[in-house]
Amino acid sequence: MTRRLKIFAWIGTVILISIGIICFILYRNYRDILFAEPRNPKIEIKETYQIGWWSYQESLRIDSFKVELVESKLNLFNNKSLVKYTVKGIISHEGHWKPFIENVHVSQRLIRKYNRELHPYLDTDTVQIPEAIIEITPIIKVTNDKTYNGEELKFEFSNEIKLESFHWGNNWVRFLCNGINQDLILQQRK
């Protein structure tokens, strides 16, 4: 090996090691920004994804339903956002059977497939109908309580959920709770 080739090999090795060190430092300092997944959701009322024997749902009246974006750092490396929903209402039941909210049923589903050939208007990043629905249903149970006489009980709770976006651009999600709609758009950008 000639002396000139040895010098080029040594310089190449130094450059590769330098690039490796710089990449490591950048990754270590900026990984929280690049891969910034939201924190774990806070849950006040336990969520369930299974249906069951819900025989006291007529005791429920929803007065208000609100959805808000808590944390969303959507980028090329992160497609998860943290969303909070708040439900307010009244529950009541006859006799000495005191109602309470035991669980919240959450149902998530896509309502249309995103396809640029079928929906060319989506290229303008506007949508005509929501792409997904998340239904929130408080589940009512009762307990025998001799001090309860059928009066109305107010309730309020807030839960958070992590949502994944489904594609680049605007992701329109409709939240539904007992006939009340709240829409949210997650903006997934590169």
Side-chain angles (χ1 to χ4, degrees):
M1 193 179 233
T2 67
R3 182 173 178 195
R4 184 183 233 182
L5 200 54
K6 286 181 183 180
I7 292 173
F8 283 132
W10 184 80
I11 291 173
T13 304
V14 170
I15 290 173
L16 285 176
I17 290 172
S18 299
I19 290 172
I21 290 171
I22 291 169
C23 288
F24 175 75
I25 290 169
L26 289 173
Y27 172 75
R28 205 168 143 215
N29 291 334
Y30 296 104
R31 72 175 169 226
D32 292 339
I33 295 169
L34 294 175
F35 303 101
E37 188 171 310
R39 64 173 166 75
N40 287 330
K42 295 177 183 176
I43 306 292
E44 288 182 21
I45 303 288
K46 185 180 152 193
E47 293 178 341
T48 183
Y49 301 92
Q50 298 177 333
I51 56 175
W53 189 278
W54 302 344
S55 54
Y56 303 103
Q57 290 306 105
E58 71 279 352
S59 301
L60 173 70
R61 185 179 88 206
I62 304 295
D63 292 332
S64 115
F65 178 60
K66 182 180 175 188
V67 177
E68 58 189 292
L69 199 55
V70 175
E71 186 178 337
S72 182
K73 298 175 186 170
L74 299 174
N75 59 44
L76 183 62
F77 303 104
N78 178 39
N79 68 339
K80 293 184 176 88
S81 298
L82 189 64
V83 175
K84 176 174 135 180
Y85 62 88
T86 302
V87 181
K88 294 180 186 178
I90 294 174
I91 50 179
S92 64
H93 199 68
E94 299 171 358
H96 296 291
W97 294 98
K98 185 176 182 179
F100 65 97
I101 299 175
E102 181 182 51
N103 291 326
V104 177
H105 182 262
V106 179
S107 171
Q108 299 183 17
R109 69 182 186 280
L110 291 170
I111 56 175
R112 71 177 163 97
K113 184 177 179 183
Y114 181 74
N115 185 328
R116 290 197 188 276
E117 289 79 34
L118 294 176
H119 307 286
Y121 61 87
L122 292 177
D123 283 330
T124 62
D125 216 13
T126 60
V127 289
Q128 303 298 320
I129 58 172
E131 299 169 90
I133 287 188
I134 298 177
E135 291 183 80
I136 309 294
T137 307
I139 302 170
I140 308 302
K141 294 288 183 181
V142 295
T143 183
N144 194 356
D145 184 347
K146 297 296 181 191
T147 62
Y148 178 76
N149 290 312
E151 58 267 11
E152 292 183 340
L153 305 171
K154 292 184 179 184
F155 71 88
E156 176 180 350
F157 68 89
S158 295
N159 280 355
E160 295 176 342
I161 56 175
K162 274 189 191 180
L163 286 183
E164 277 190 52
S165 49
F166 348 112
H167 57 76
W168 299 111
N170 291 335
N171 295 257
W172 185 359
V173 182
R174 172 160 290 161
F175 287 80
L176 179 64
C177 182
N178 203 31
I180 302 173
N181 293 341
Q182 287 282 300
D183 290 347
L184 184 71
I185 294 179
L186 303 174
Q187 297 177 341
Q188 181 70 49
R189 301 289 182 233
K190 294 180 186 176

